[in-house]
Amino acid sequence: GLLYLDFQRLCSPWVILNDAGGAFAMGAIGGGTWHFIKGARNSPYGERFRGGLNSMRSRGPIVGGNFAVWGSMFSTFECVLKGVRQKEDPWNSIGSGAITGGLLAARGGWRAASVSAVFGGVLLALIEGVGIAMSRAFAQQPPALAPPPPAQ
């Protein structure tokens, strides 16, 4: 039915690839900017611009790649949770953040994975909470149906 078609549209390999690309772009731009400033500050006077460019070129794509891995894993787990739960609510994002955080830290052992999973879930819960609060704050208030009665 319609739910299945809507689910197919929202969760496909193209959506996951698009999310990975968007995450790469954010990470590459943000990481490139960060490493340009860091490279410029750590370079000797007269070589600051060149040092910033070299640092940006070498580290920016690495940060972008890390963001892309996180974004693609998050998007994949969100699609899996939508399919398993047959619901689309904030719990999917919170669970996806927890699973992604835990799996990315799994090489460090159970303790590191658990801490990262909790951190990922809490971070996504905060993001979802802010999103809900903003949508409620900026929602249009329904107009009054009738003016108040005159005072006697």
Side-chain angles (χ1 to χ4, degrees):
L2 184 60
L3 179 66
Y4 182 74
L5 288 175
D6 192 39
F7 176 76
Q8 285 292 91
R9 183 182 62 79
L10 293 176
C11 285
S12 70
W14 301 114
V15 170
I16 296 168
L17 193 62
N18 187 37
D19 289 347
F24 177 83
M26 283 193 306
I29 292 169
T33 303
W34 174 263
H35 285 288
F36 177 83
I37 293 167
K38 188 175 175 183
R41 289 185 68 196
N42 291 332
S43 295
Y45 186 77
E47 295 290 321
R48 295 193 190 279
F49 186 74
R50 186 175 299 153
L53 282 179
N54 287 337
S55 181
M56 178 178 72
R57 267 198 322 243
S58 64
R59 297 294 304 168
I62 294 171
V63 176
N66 292 341
F67 270 64
V69 168
W70 196 96
S72 60
M73 286 178 70
F74 176 83
S75 185
T76 301
F77 292 132
E78 190 171 35
C79 287
V80 167
L81 289 177
K82 283 179 190 176
V84 169
R85 296 181 68 230
Q86 291 295 308
K87 287 184 185 177
E88 189 168 347
D89 60 8
W91 289 108
N92 291 338
S93 294
I94 294 167
S96 300
I99 294 168
T100 300
L103 279 180
L104 286 175
R107 293 188 306 166
W110 284 106
R111 184 179 176 117
S114 300
V115 169
S116 291
V118 169
F119 184 78
V122 168
L123 179 66
L124 265 296
L126 289 172
I127 291 170
E128 288 291 323
V130 167
I132 291 169
M134 295 292 278
S135 66
R136 286 185 181 168
F138 293 113
Q140 292 261 344
Q141 297 295 324
L145 296 177
Q152 294 199 11

